[in-house]
Amino acid sequence: MQVPVLDINGKQVQTIDLPAEIFEARINKGLMHQAYVRQMANARLGTHKVKRRGEVKVTTAKMYRQKGTGRARHGAHNATQFVGGGRPMGPRPRDYTQDMPKKMRRAAIRSALSALMADGQLVFVDSLTINAPKTKDMKRILTALVGDNSSLVLVGERNENVQRSVNNLADAKTLLASYLNIRDLLRYDKVIVPLDALDVIKRIWGQES
């Protein structure tokens, strides 16, 4: 598959061939959904907790006398119906981690890249560099490349100027190409792929191991 490569002004400068095993893989929506749910679940801390009745520290004195008040008989302040009492069925600490075989995780990434390619959401750039962290200049570059669409900018390696400039924008984010994940790939309207980031993608996601 041949695709155009743009410069930072949005002008086509060349065409390149993309590996079919990454960008023309079978699109499996169910697999992508499973990978997304797994990623979101694994990000949960699971530290939520409420105190049960036995964990609330209150006085053990009887609330009021047994008879003669016209009210129900109560002897414990930690009962669930009272303010400050224990909660009957609240969340407890738990592990939300989900497992997924490596081959399935890799297939999900290839499926996502192929889906983005088929929908025209991938934008390839020959080079994305900037001399200093300038949000205004980066906004101009992204507008030339993707218009008003939200964008995920992949970088082959850490670039302080590019990353700081992009991350200052509300509708854009940078991501190292080696950290590709389902959530970020599917979250934005466009994914900008410089050629150095494409080399990283080929090296990591092109091999079957």
Side-chain angles (χ1 to χ4, degrees), residues 128-144:
L128 188 62
T129 58
I130 192 170
N131 295 328
K134 292 288 186 180
T135 305
K136 182 178 180 180
D137 292 346
M138 185 56 66
K139 177 65 174 178
R140 177 185 58 80
I141 293 174
L142 296 186
T143 300

Side-chain angles (χ1 to χ4, degrees), residues 7 10 18 23 40 46 53 56 64 67 71-72 77 79 92 108 118 128 141 169 176 179 188 195 198 201:
D7 60 15
L18 296 179
F23 295 96
M40 300 304 292
R53 183 168 177 174
V56 176
Y64 45 80
K67 297 178 179 296
R71 293 187 288 178
H77 290 263
R92 307 293 286 179
L128 188 62
I141 293 174
L169 300 171
L176 287 172
Y179 290 169
Y188 295 89
L195 294 186
L198 178 60
I201 293 174

Side-chain angles (χ1 to χ4, degrees), residues 24-147:
E24 295 181 79
R26 185 172 71 90
I27 299 175
N28 189 330
K29 294 182 180 179
L31 184 62
M32 289 190 291
H33 177 266
Q34 182 178 346
Y36 179 84
V37 171
R38 170 187 174 271
Q39 181 177 349
M40 300 304 292
N42 291 356
R44 300 184 67 176
L45 296 179
T47 55
H48 41 44
K49 181 182 184 299
V50 298
K51 287 186 177 181
R52 299 288 171 85
R53 183 168 177 174
E55 298 171 310
V56 176
K57 303 301 181 182
V58 294
T59 178
T60 58
K62 190 172 177 62
M63 302 180 67
Y64 45 80
R65 68 179 188 269
Q66 180 85 343
K67 297 178 179 296
T69 65
R71 293 187 288 178
R73 298 169 291 182
H74 289 296
H77 290 263
N78 61 4
T80 59
Q81 66 267 38
F82 298 125
V83 174
R87 299 298 91 197
M89 293 177 292
R92 307 293 286 179
R94 57 165 292 190
D95 183 10
Y96 286 94
T97 301
Q98 297 183 16
D99 195 14
M100 191 175 185
K102 180 179 178 180
K103 286 188 176 180
M104 294 178 65
R105 299 197 306 267
R106 294 175 62 82
I109 293 293
R110 294 192 185 102
S111 180
L113 289 172
S114 299
L116 293 172
M117 188 73 246
D119 291 340
Q121 293 179 261
L122 296 181
V123 179
F124 296 92
V125 185
D126 60 346
S127 177
L128 188 62
T129 58
I130 192 170
N131 295 328
K134 292 288 186 180
T135 305
K136 182 178 180 180
D137 292 346
M138 185 56 66
K139 177 65 174 178
R140 177 185 58 80
I141 293 174
L142 296 186
T143 300
L145 293 174
V146 300

Side-chain angles (χ1 to χ4, degrees), residues 3-28:
V3 295
V5 178
L6 310 179
D7 60 15
I8 59 175
N9 297 314
K11 305 296 184 181
Q12 180 175 340
V13 293
Q14 60 173 307
T15 60
I16 57 173
D17 289 316
L18 296 179
E21 68 271 15
I22 302 177
F23 295 96
E24 295 181 79
R26 185 172 71 90
I27 299 175
N28 189 330

Side-chain angles (χ1 to χ4, degrees), residues 154-204:
L154 301 183
V155 292
E157 58 185 13
R158 295 192 180 277
N159 186 318
E160 189 74 10
N161 294 337
V162 171
Q163 290 176 289
R164 288 179 61 184
S165 301
V166 172
N167 292 337
N168 280 338
L169 300 171
D171 56 352
K173 174 186 175 180
T174 58
L175 179 70
L176 287 172
S178 55
Y179 290 169
L180 278 187
N181 60 85
I182 286 290
R183 181 191 62 186
D184 288 328
L185 283 177
L186 302 182
R187 181 179 178 182
Y188 295 89
D189 298 328
K190 299 288 185 178
V191 178
I192 299 175
V193 188
L195 294 186
D196 60 341
L198 178 60
D199 292 337
V200 175
I201 293 174
K202 291 179 180 179
R203 185 175 72 251
I204 296 177

